[in-house]
Amino acid sequence: MTSAADRLASVQSDIRAAEAEFGRKEESVTLIAVSKTFEADDIRPVLDAGQKVFGENRVQEAMGKWPGLRGDYAGIELHLIGPLQSNKAKEAVQTFDVIHTVDRPKIARALKSEMDRQDRQLPCFIQVNTGEEPQKAGIPPREVDAFISQCRDEIGLSIIGLMCIPPVDEAPGEHFALLEKIADRNGLAQLSMGMSADYPVAVGFGATHVRVGSAIFGARDYT
Ligand SMILES: *Cc1c(COP(=O)(O)O)cnc(C)c1O
């Protein structure tokens, strides 16, 4: 049986291979190891293998695991990749280092006022609902340019890039290409896209951050 540390090494080598294949600069893609649903003891071997950048999708769950792990391992960078309620903004700003899921003015304002209060300005990505799926979070593509300006100029968030989760039943490439196009015309350098099933494809479309969970930690058990 392969271990999480073995799978981490193989994901990392896939990323380096995709960088080479698509003419991307070496180590221009950051691997976010998505540890949602896994316990601290499942995460430790991946930390021991040297991984520092992790993603979680729930504020409450992250608060239960990461303060302890941060005490044992230096230099951890924790990314919030799941939907955020404005009443959790305080805990989100305390717990995370980067936010990927800014998608409406209310959340942008709540985050900014918490960042000011805690004197902790976190870099943020705006989530774009590239497939315009009604059940999915993210700002629709036609509203994104105005929302980026609002977040930057009016609200004062530090917006570093865009994030998307393509529809499960579609080829992801056109969604990645759309995200890259929107980022480009808005002068945003970072693209958070690509998961276990498609991260090498995402590297080809310019991903700077891939969010990989099950390919490292194994299948998730939600029961
Ligand atoms: C769970 C999750 C991932 C990782 O998914 P895998 O398919 O397990 O790699 C990536 N991004 C987001 C937003 C997620 O919620």
Side-chain angles (χ1 to χ4, degrees):
M1 239 183 84
T2 58
S3 67
D6 292 338
R7 291 188 295 259
L8 171 72
S10 109
V11 169
Q12 271 163 340
S13 80
D14 287 351
I15 292 171
R16 301 287 91 89
E19 286 171 345
E21 179 184 349
F22 297 109
R24 300 282 312 277
K25 200 164 159 273
E26 198 180 336
E27 304 203 356
S28 58
V29 180
T30 299
L31 170 61
I32 302 175
V34 177
S35 48
K36 66 187 185 196
T37 79
F38 289 93
E39 316 240 341
D41 284 344
D42 300 319
I43 302 171
R44 284 179 193 279
V46 175
L47 283 157
D48 288 332
Q51 178 68 20
K52 299 283 190 197
V53 184
F54 289 84
E56 290 280 348
N57 70 334
R58 291 169 190 271
V59 177
Q60 210 68 31
E61 182 185 338
M63 287 171 72
K65 296 189 280 197
W66 286 96
L69 289 168
R70 281 189 199 267
D72 295 342
Y73 297 87
I76 288 171
E77 189 178 289
L78 195 58
H79 293 236
L80 176 63
I81 61 167
L84 182 58
Q85 249 81 63
S86 49
N87 63 5
K88 289 272 169 57
K90 178 180 171 194
E91 289 84 353
V93 172
Q94 282 167 344
T95 307
F96 291 91
D97 303 298
V98 183
I99 312 279
H100 287 238
T101 47
V102 179
D103 69 350
R104 54 196 191 277
K106 189 175 177 198
I107 236 3
R109 288 205 179 87
L111 283 169
K112 178 60 179 167
S113 86
E114 266 312 320
M115 290 180 196
D116 288 347
R117 199 168 294 145
Q118 297 181 34
D119 194 17
R120 198 172 139 69
Q121 303 298 327
L122 305 186
C124 296
F125 290 79
I126 287 172
Q127 183 175 356
V128 184
N129 188 353
T130 57
E132 306 200 43
E133 297 172 279
Q135 81 287 5
K136 198 168 268 178
I139 188 117
R142 74 194 111 79
E143 293 171 25
V144 72
D145 292 6
F147 183 59
I148 293 168
S149 313
Q150 182 182 23
C151 285
R152 282 169 160 170
D153 307 334
E154 180 196 318
I155 301 172
L157 278 179
S158 163
I159 303 297
I160 60 166
L162 302 177
M163 177 272 217
C164 76
I165 309 171
V168 285
D169 53 354
E170 286 180 31
E174 64 183 273
H175 296 274
F176 297 155
L178 174 61
L179 202 70
E180 184 180 31
K181 192 172 114 194
I182 299 169
D184 211 46
R185 72 176 180 236
N186 286 282
L188 291 170
Q190 315 284 324
L191 291 170
S192 167
M193 57 191 199
M195 309 185 3
S196 291
D198 53 22
Y199 62 93
V201 179
V203 171
F205 283 95
T208 59
H209 295 71
V210 293
R211 310 177 309 266
V212 179
S214 45
I216 298 168
F217 290 99
R220 284 180 292 273
D221 179 1
Y222 285 101
T223 57

